[in-house]
Amino acid sequence: MTGEPILRLRGVSKSYDGQAMAVRALDLDVARGEFLTLLGPSGSGKTTTLMMLAGFETPTEGSIELEGRRVDGLPPHRRGLGMVFQNYALFPHMSVAENIAFPLSVRRTPQAETARLVAEAVELVGLSGLADRRPGQLSGGQQQRVALARALVFRPPLVLLDEPLGALDRQLRERMQIELKRLHASLGVTMIYVTHDQEEAMAMSDRVAVFHEGRVQQVAPPIELYARPASLFVAGFVGESNRIEGVVSARNGDVIQVAVEGLPTLVALAADGAGQGARVAIAVRPERIRLGAEAETAENRVTARLSDVIFVGDRLRGHCLLPGGCELVFKRPNDGGALPGRGDTLELGWARDDARAWQIETGATE
Ligand code: ADP
Ligand code: MG
């Protein structure tokens, strides 16, 4: 990251009840102009983090600096951030224009300036012609645009968005993702975006912070997150991974041999210090599994029975049962070639470099 971060969190923790930790020891720097996503399953601490940034919750420990200034003691209105939440919380009795103008009236912006900024914001989010309507006369997507315009109209340096597209159907959500990215790029504003949807996080973000049980597991650009997950949790949560458990029988540098019940010895890259005797889980992406002739030269080879085939239009998902009882999923593009069918016996293979292993139990010591 170059330059001073716009936002700096150090050791931020939050407990609502003095016992359970909703957020644990969070260190995070956000670069000016960045699109950073907080990604994680429900209950992992994303909203709590955003609420502390916004000023609606106070950290139990730690500090939050915005543009070099401590803000963790300041109320929301003194932080000057834009905010968009899942339930738009528009004022139902006000028009679109009045809703968007609200943050300006709070700031006592002169009338002419307000009119100009509101017109610009309406245009920006594609609501031209709808400025006099009330929220109840708009679709869900249009209401969300109003909320977005209201968050942007006073030109905040930082905008916080908590699952803003969560209530929209898939097609509209994908269109709004593109529009939001376009807005982000054209305005140069910093955005912190919360979602539990890993595809959305991958599609939109400069970097993604992956949350699990209140802790950030990894902060990285999408491509890096996908290629080099820092933990088994990230490997399984970001994209899809097969999980094969076994015991390390030998280690040479980062390369480990893994004994798995019912299978020939597998070869994988150790992501941690797993030594001989350690129980590990190997993660392999479904799209990295080769079939038939392509599998012949792979370092890891297994024979499996295809127990289910799911056709997803542009691709096919195969569920295989391995000797020993482990299930393996592969993906094939629907590229016009012959596709395997249920009950087929398949040769599957994958490269050592496509198999990363994490220790799940330490080895027995004698
Ligand atoms: P996420 O947004 O990732 O779903 P949250 O930040 O909402 O997660 O929640 C993190 C944890 O804090 C959860 O265990 C949740 O039950 C708890 N929590 C959230 N808000 C409150 C609250 N206002 N009071 C008590 N516990 C809360
Ligand atoms: Mg939440």
Side-chain angles (χ1 to χ4, degrees):
M1 205 172 338
T2 55
E4 272 295 287
I6 186 167
L7 189 70
R8 173 177 288 163
L9 285 78
R10 287 294 176 271
V12 172
S13 295
K14 174 70 182 178
S15 176
Y16 289 99
D17 59 7
Q19 286 191 308
M21 300 303 288
V23 172
R24 304 165 199 246
L26 176 56
D27 293 326
L28 191 63
D29 283 354
V30 183
R32 192 172 295 276
E34 185 169 26
F35 194 113
L36 177 85
T37 295
L38 315 184
L39 171 70
S42 176
S44 59
K46 310 180 298 292
T47 294
T48 300
T49 300
L50 218 62
M51 288 296 152
M52 290 192 284
L53 297 181
F56 294 114
E57 294 291 351
T58 314
T60 311
E61 275 180 69
S63 66
I64 302 174
E65 278 178 25
L66 179 65
E67 307 197 288
R69 187 172 65 115
R70 268 301 274 273
V71 295
D72 43 86
L74 295 182
H77 67 271
R78 300 219 15 228
R79 301 190 188 192
L81 307 181
M83 280 169 242
V84 186
F85 299 111
Q86 182 168 359
N87 46 353
Y88 338 101
L90 300 176
F91 301 111
H93 57 286
M94 290 187 188
S95 71
V96 165
E98 287 164 344
N99 265 284
I100 297 173
F102 184 75
L104 299 173
S105 67
V106 173
R107 289 171 173 75
R108 305 189 193 289
T109 309
Q111 216 168 8
E113 174 83 348
T114 296
R116 186 180 66 78
L117 289 172
V118 169
E120 250 180 56
V122 165
E123 173 85 35
L124 194 66
V125 299
L127 286 174
S128 301
L130 300 177
D132 295 327
R133 294 221 188 151
R134 289 178 195 273
Q137 300 170 299
L138 300 176
S139 70
Q142 289 168 334
Q143 291 185 37
Q144 203 49 284
R145 286 168 208 262
V146 178
L148 195 56
R150 187 178 59 182
L152 293 169
V153 71
F154 61 100
R155 305 286 159 83
L158 180 62
V159 179
L160 309 174
L161 306 104
D162 194 352
E163 313 238 6
L165 311 182
L168 307 180
D169 67 53
R170 186 189 168 98
Q171 279 190 9
L172 185 54
R173 200 165 68 225
E174 286 178 358
R175 206 167 73 222
M176 291 291 289
Q177 286 172 4
I178 294 169
E179 289 190 23
L180 199 54
K181 277 300 287 180
R182 190 178 45 90
L183 273 176
H184 170 254
S186 67
L187 297 174
V189 63
T190 309
M191 289 187 169
I192 301 185
Y193 189 92
V194 164
T195 183
H196 64 274
D197 179 340
Q198 53 95 14
E199 279 188 31
E200 183 164 280
M202 300 290 261
M204 301 187 71
S205 319
D206 295 318
R207 287 190 308 156
V208 179
V210 183
F211 278 67
H212 179 50
E213 295 176 346
R215 226 180 258 291
V216 168
Q217 301 258 315
Q218 187 171 11
V219 189
I223 290 179
E224 193 181 320
L225 210 59
Y226 195 83
R228 283 183 296 282
S231 69
L232 200 54
F233 175 80
V234 176
F237 193 75
V238 177
E240 201 183 346
S241 281
N242 288 292
R243 181 185 167 117
I244 307 167
E245 291 187 19
V247 174
V248 176
S249 56
R251 176 163 184 152
N252 184 1
D254 284 347
V255 180
I256 52 174
Q257 313 251 344
V258 182
V260 181
E261 199 192 324
L263 300 184
T265 300
L266 301 180
V267 194
L269 295 178
D272 55 25
Q276 195 174 347
R279 192 160 179 80
V280 291
I282 306 173
V284 187
R285 299 277 185 206
E287 71 273 19
R288 293 306 173 106
I289 295 191
R290 315 284 172 213
L291 262 63
E294 275 183 63
E296 273 168 30
T297 53
E299 289 147 299
N300 294 293
R301 277 191 307 282
V302 297
T303 305
R305 220 175 66 84
L306 190 54
S307 53
D308 249 312
V309 189
I310 300 166
F311 179 62
V312 216
D314 61 346
R315 63 189 189 281
L316 179 101
R317 288 170 56 87
H319 292 248
C320 295
L321 206 57
L322 300 186
C326 177
E327 202 191 45
L328 207 62
V329 176
F330 66 82
K331 287 183 197 164
R332 296 284 296 174
N334 181 14
D335 57 4
L339 297 172
R342 180 176 309 158
D344 286 357
T345 297
L346 299 176
E347 297 299 323
L348 305 178
W350 61 92
R352 176 184 76 188
D353 290 357
D354 290 331
R356 289 165 60 82
W358 282 267
Q359 186 163 327
I360 48 179
E361 284 165 35
T362 50
T365 47
E366 55 265 43

